[in-house]
């Protein structure tokens, strides 16, 4: 009988994904061959399941294999999951990463109107006060922030981000910092204290955020989604974000009620909930 495989979630990271993709592709081929052998035993002589052409070229071998698989699937419909489930897993993994945002046209900041494209993790810390040494050992200070950033970079082997595209990135990366451990104005403008920033693709969230929760020490961090570039930044930072540790002020102003109403009007009429 055919061996059946439960779907197993892919490990995070490009190398792990390549291993999982190769594994599932190999399983799809093996299940197909097992199905052919089983069908040939049950329906022998089963026309259509046997080879119709000499297996010469690689292309002909693949064409012959595909023909035999689909012919036998018609005879053994219960085997469809064994062959196609691994293929669906490969297709899902191929798309499990962030896609660069094309533009900010037609953005709507209505909650749930569009999927989050990526995330930023902002780790906040006290600015240095070199004139008073007692504050240099404060666990909320830049010394500990720099140590946390280094530990993160070493743990995940992340490169530096492209500073010219803070949203249009596809891989996990850390934005450049100065000697105090702080990022530049593009990532620091909304905050009242220095911070360093990590760009997190959607498929690395479950790996990065728990690590930051467990290793932050006394430092505080904000995780916010990137829903549509700068267009929805107030909502991203104020309404759709989560904090690890203490909550800090953010300079964005909450969107006015009229803006929310306008976005709802633009989205069109919605069905009212039915109350029991």
């Amino acid at each position: 009988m055919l061996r059946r495989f439960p779907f197993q979630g892919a490990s995070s990271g490009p190398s792990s994904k390549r291993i999982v993709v190769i594994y599932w592709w190999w399983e799809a081929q093996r299940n197909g061959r097992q199905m052919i052998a089983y069908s040939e035993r049950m329906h022998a002589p089963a026309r259509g399941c046997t080879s119709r052409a000499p297996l010469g070229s690689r292309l002909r071998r693949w064409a012959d294999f595909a023909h035999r698989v689909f012919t036998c699937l018609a005879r053994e419909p219960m085997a469809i999951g064994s062959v196609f489930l691994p293929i669906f897993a490969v297709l899902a993994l191929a798309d499990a990463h962030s896609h660069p945002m094309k533009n900010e046209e037609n953005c709507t900041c209505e909650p749930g109107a569009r999927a989050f494209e990526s995330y930023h993790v902002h780790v906040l810390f006290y600015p240095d006060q070199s004139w008073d040494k007692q504050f240099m050992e404060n666990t909320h200070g830049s010394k500990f922030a720099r140590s946390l950033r280094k530990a993160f970079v070493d743990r995940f082997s992340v490169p530096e981000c492209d500073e010219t595209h803070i949203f249009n990135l596809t891989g996990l990366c850390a934005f450049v910092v100065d000697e105090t451990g702080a990022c530049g104005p593009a990532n620091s403008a909304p905050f009242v204290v220095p911070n360093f920033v990590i760009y997190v693709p959607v498929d690395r969230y479950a790996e990065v955020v728990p690590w930051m929760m467990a290793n932050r020490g006394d430092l505080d961090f904000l995780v916010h989604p990137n829903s549509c570039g700068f267009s929805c930044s107030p909502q991203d930072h104020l309404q759709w974000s989560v904090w690890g540790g203490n909550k800090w002020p953010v300079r964005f102003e909450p969107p006015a009620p009229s803006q929310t109403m306008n976005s709802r009007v633009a989205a069109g009429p919605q069905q009212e909930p039915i109350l029991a």
Side-chain angles (χ1 to χ4, degrees), residues 72 87 198 204 223:
C72 293
I87 296 177
I198 306 297
R204 304 297 298 274
V223 181

Side-chain angles (χ1 to χ4, degrees), residues 126 134-144:
Y126 295 167
Q134 65 174 324
F135 294 116
M136 297 300 292
E137 296 301 321
N138 189 292
T139 53
H140 294 274
S142 68
K143 173 183 176 180
F144 293 87

Side-chain angles (χ1 to χ4, degrees), residues 49-236:
C49 286
T50 57
S51 177
R52 291 182 132 200
L55 301 182
S57 65
R58 178 178 298 180
L59 178 62
R60 177 161 296 182
R61 288 198 301 271
W62 275 106
D64 179 78
F65 175 74
H67 169 76
R68 294 160 67 188
V69 166
F70 282 101
T71 301
C72 293
L73 281 176
R75 298 178 182 272
E76 305 292 338
M78 295 299 293
I80 291 177
S82 296
V83 176
F84 286 98
L85 183 59
I87 296 177
F88 293 152
V90 171
L91 295 176
L93 287 171
D95 194 52
H97 62 274
S98 293
H99 300 282
M101 184 183 61
K102 295 180 180 179
N103 56 63
E104 296 185 36
E105 296 179 1
N106 302 320
C107 278
T108 172
C109 300
E110 183 72 12
R114 56 187 296 153
F116 296 152
E117 296 172 341
S118 60
Y119 298 88
H120 282 169
V121 176
H122 296 262
V123 179
L124 285 67
F125 55 90
Y126 295 167
D128 281 340
Q129 292 183 353
S130 56
W131 60 90
D132 195 332
K133 298 299 182 181
Q134 65 174 324
F135 294 116
M136 297 300 292
E137 296 301 321
N138 189 292
T139 53
H140 294 274
S142 68
K143 173 183 176 180
F144 293 87
R146 293 194 300 270
S147 177
L148 177 61
R149 184 181 185 275
K150 183 180 185 304
F152 179 86
V153 170
D154 293 343
R155 167 64 178 78
F156 294 97
S157 301
V158 297
E160 292 184 343
C161 300
D162 181 0
E163 293 287 323
T164 61
H165 303 287
I166 66 173
F167 302 116
N168 287 3
L169 301 167
T170 58
L172 181 66
C173 61
F175 288 95
V176 178
V177 296
D178 59 21
E179 64 277 2
T180 69
C183 281
N187 281 304
S188 299
F191 300 96
V192 297
V193 292
N195 71 109
F196 72 82
V197 187
I198 306 297
Y199 177 91
V200 184
V202 292
D203 61 319
R204 304 297 298 274
Y205 181 96
E207 182 182 8
V208 169
V209 175
W211 186 94
M212 193 63 71
M213 290 177 176
N215 292 274
R216 68 180 182 87
D218 290 333
L219 296 167
D220 308 312
F221 68 90
L222 169 72
V223 181
H224 72 79
N226 298 314
S227 57
C228 197
F230 288 105
S231 299
C232 301
S233 285
Q235 288 86 346
D236 289 341

